[in-house]
């Protein structure tokens, strides 16, 4: 088994040779398990650029087979990855969880080009991602000296990818909207690294499926704007800021879409109401 240092040297070598022959076959079967072992490394270059970046590039260039991607996705969603030490706050385990969450968009990108996942597998991704988001307590964005954790943003990217799939039915979309609302409506952490925009992107992708009627969307917006402020002063102000920033981002993003005449004035009305608190 390669050490973390050996893995970094190998991936750096491949990075420098990206114009030549990228890995395939036996080399991939040796590299990928080690990459998954160190997917939560505190070395930001190894984690972000070399492990995650290489997996993205190899997927885009069709170096990773459907069978291998299925194995990668299954491992990413297991108890040693997406749910690794779930519930911890302020520890390095967050990087394993959040970068495992990013495997979902990678797998779904490949599926979008060459379908290979069953509806049951896709729905399983959705259910595990929603469960993860409900259990994650470490919502830090950028961690000084170690790079991006970004749990909410990474989960949002997964939800956005799932939302586009025909396999996701009306109930699935409702489940994802509820997960987005619960993620935004927190008083425990103030989002400062554009998490609101990433979550808005997921919400708009859900809306674009046209399986959620306007009244349902308005009820969802109202549930965010009306979230009770029942905590301490700090918690209340954090919750108010998170919901306000999200509604503002949602308003401006929805302005870009067609057929939102009923939704956008209501979002603005709810935003103004939140501003008065």
């Amino acid at each position: 088994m390669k050490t973390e240092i050996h893995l970094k040297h190998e991936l750096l070598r491949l990075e420098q040779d990206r114009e030549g022959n990228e890995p395939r076959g036996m080399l991939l079967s040796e590299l990928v398990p080690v990459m998954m072992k160190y997917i939560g490394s505190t070395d930001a270059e190894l984690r972000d650029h070399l492990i995650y970046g290489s997996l993205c590039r190899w997927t885009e260039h069709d170096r990773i087979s459907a069978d291998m991607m299925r194995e990668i996705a299954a491992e990413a969603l297991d108890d040693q990855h997406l749910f690794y030490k779930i519930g911890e706050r302020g520890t390095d385990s967050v990087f394993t969880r959040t970068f495992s969450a990013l495997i979902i968009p990678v797998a779904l990108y490949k599926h979008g080009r060459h379908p290979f996942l069953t509806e049951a597998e896709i729905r399983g991704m959705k259910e595990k991602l929603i469960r993860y988001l409900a259990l994650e307590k470490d919502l830090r964005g950028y961690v000084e000296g170690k790079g991006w954790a970004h749990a909410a943003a990474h989960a949002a990217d997964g939800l956005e990818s799932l939302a586009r799939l025909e396999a996701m039915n009306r109930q699935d979309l409702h489940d994802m909207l509820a997960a987005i609302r619960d993620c935004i409506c927190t008083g425990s952490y103030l989002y400062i690294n554009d998490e609101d925009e990433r979550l808005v992107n997921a919400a708009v992708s859900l809306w674009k499926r046209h399986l959620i009627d306007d009244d349902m969307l308005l009820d969802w917006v109202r549930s965010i704007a009306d979230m009770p402020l029942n905590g301490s002063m700090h918690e209340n102000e954090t919750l108010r800021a998170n919901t306000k920033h999200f509604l503002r981002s949602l308003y401006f993003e929805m302005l870009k879409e067609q057929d939102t005449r009923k939704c956008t004035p209501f979002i603005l009305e709810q935003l103004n109401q939140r501003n008065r608190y």
Side-chain angles (χ1 to χ4, degrees), residues 97-220:
R97 296 192 297 273
T98 62
F99 277 80
S100 295
L102 279 182
I103 296 298
I104 291 178
V106 178
L108 294 181
Y109 171 82
K110 182 172 183 65
H111 178 76
R113 297 174 71 183
H114 309 290
F116 68 97
L117 295 167
T118 66
E119 286 197 11
E121 287 172 324
I122 293 170
R123 186 154 289 109
M125 286 182 173
K126 180 218 80 173
E127 290 169 356
K128 286 191 175 183
L129 185 59
I130 287 177
R131 182 161 69 91
Y132 160 71
L133 200 49
L135 294 174
E136 181 61 80
K137 303 302 181 185
D138 194 338
L139 299 175
R140 289 174 295 168
Y142 187 80
V143 180
E144 196 64 40
K146 298 176 181 178
W148 293 100
H150 234 188
H154 290 189
D157 292 349
L159 292 172
E160 182 180 2
S161 296
L162 285 161
R164 301 190 186 110
L165 301 180
E166 292 298 321
M168 294 287 95
N169 61 30
R170 180 184 174 91
Q171 184 58 54
D172 293 318
L173 301 187
H174 286 175
D175 293 345
M176 288 190 273
L177 277 177
I180 291 170
R181 177 196 61 213
D182 293 346
C183 184
I184 279 295
C185 294
T186 179
S188 65
Y189 180 80
L190 178 63
Y191 294 120
I192 58 173
N193 295 119
D194 296 333
E195 291 90 347
D196 57 312
E197 295 180 11
R198 301 273 275 275
L199 287 160
V200 162
N201 289 339
V204 173
S205 291
L206 291 162
W207 177 80
K208 285 181 177 179
R209 287 288 311 284
H210 301 297
L211 294 178
I212 298 173
D213 58 43
D214 283 350
D215 288 339
M216 179 64 70
L217 182 62
L218 298 186
D219 286 343
W220 176 74

Side-chain angles (χ1 to χ4, degrees), residues 7-253:
L7 175 64
K8 185 172 184 178
H9 287 165
E10 181 69 6
L11 293 177
L12 281 170
R13 183 186 68 77
L14 290 168
E15 171 73 11
Q16 292 165 1
D17 190 37
R18 70 160 61 189
E19 298 302 325
N21 294 319
E22 289 179 326
R24 61 173 73 229
M26 184 61 70
L27 180 55
L28 268 180
S29 67
E30 293 175 357
L31 273 177
V32 168
V34 188
M35 294 165 76
M36 292 303 294
K37 177 181 179 180
Y38 295 117
I39 197 169
S41 170
T42 54
D43 180 335
E45 182 185 23
L46 175 60
R47 183 187 67 244
D48 295 34
H49 182 65
L50 295 174
I51 295 179
Y52 173 65
S54 295
L55 287 173
C56 289
R57 188 174 73 254
W58 299 343
T59 301
E60 182 180 1
H61 294 175
D62 236 3
R63 296 292 190 259
I64 297 179
S65 69
D67 287 342
M68 180 174 284
M69 183 58 75
R70 178 178 275 112
E71 292 176 4
I72 292 171
E75 184 175 1
L77 298 176
D78 69 19
D79 288 346
Q80 294 304 307
H81 290 83
L82 187 63
F83 296 98
Y84 177 64
K85 296 186 178 180
I86 191 73
E88 287 190 349
R89 299 175 190 260
T91 69
D92 293 338
S93 66
V94 68
F95 296 106
T96 295
R97 296 192 297 273
T98 62
F99 277 80
S100 295
L102 279 182
I103 296 298
I104 291 178
V106 178
L108 294 181
Y109 171 82
K110 182 172 183 65
H111 178 76
R113 297 174 71 183
H114 309 290
F116 68 97
L117 295 167
T118 66
E119 286 197 11
E121 287 172 324
I122 293 170
R123 186 154 289 109
M125 286 182 173
K126 180 218 80 173
E127 290 169 356
K128 286 191 175 183
L129 185 59
I130 287 177
R131 182 161 69 91
Y132 160 71
L133 200 49
L135 294 174
E136 181 61 80
K137 303 302 181 185
D138 194 338
L139 299 175
R140 289 174 295 168
Y142 187 80
V143 180
E144 196 64 40
K146 298 176 181 178
W148 293 100
H150 234 188
H154 290 189
D157 292 349
L159 292 172
E160 182 180 2
S161 296
L162 285 161
R164 301 190 186 110
L165 301 180
E166 292 298 321
M168 294 287 95
N169 61 30
R170 180 184 174 91
Q171 184 58 54
D172 293 318
L173 301 187
H174 286 175
D175 293 345
M176 288 190 273
L177 277 177
I180 291 170
R181 177 196 61 213
D182 293 346
C183 184
I184 279 295
C185 294
T186 179
S188 65
Y189 180 80
L190 178 63
Y191 294 120
I192 58 173
N193 295 119
D194 296 333
E195 291 90 347
D196 57 312
E197 295 180 11
R198 301 273 275 275
L199 287 160
V200 162
N201 289 339
V204 173
S205 291
L206 291 162
W207 177 80
K208 285 181 177 179
R209 287 288 311 284
H210 301 297
L211 294 178
I212 298 173
D213 58 43
D214 283 350
D215 288 339
M216 179 64 70
L217 182 62
L218 298 186
D219 286 343
W220 176 74
V221 169
R222 185 182 294 109
S223 72
I224 294 172
D226 290 347
M227 189 61 61
L229 303 174
N230 294 328
S232 66
M233 173 64 77
H234 175 75
E235 290 169 336
N236 288 344
E237 284 302 298
T238 300
L239 172 59
R240 188 178 71 85
N242 284 337
T243 54
K244 182 176 70 173
H245 296 162
F246 177 80
L247 291 173
R248 182 185 294 127
S249 295
L250 180 63
Y251 172 75
F252 284 109
E253 194 62 32

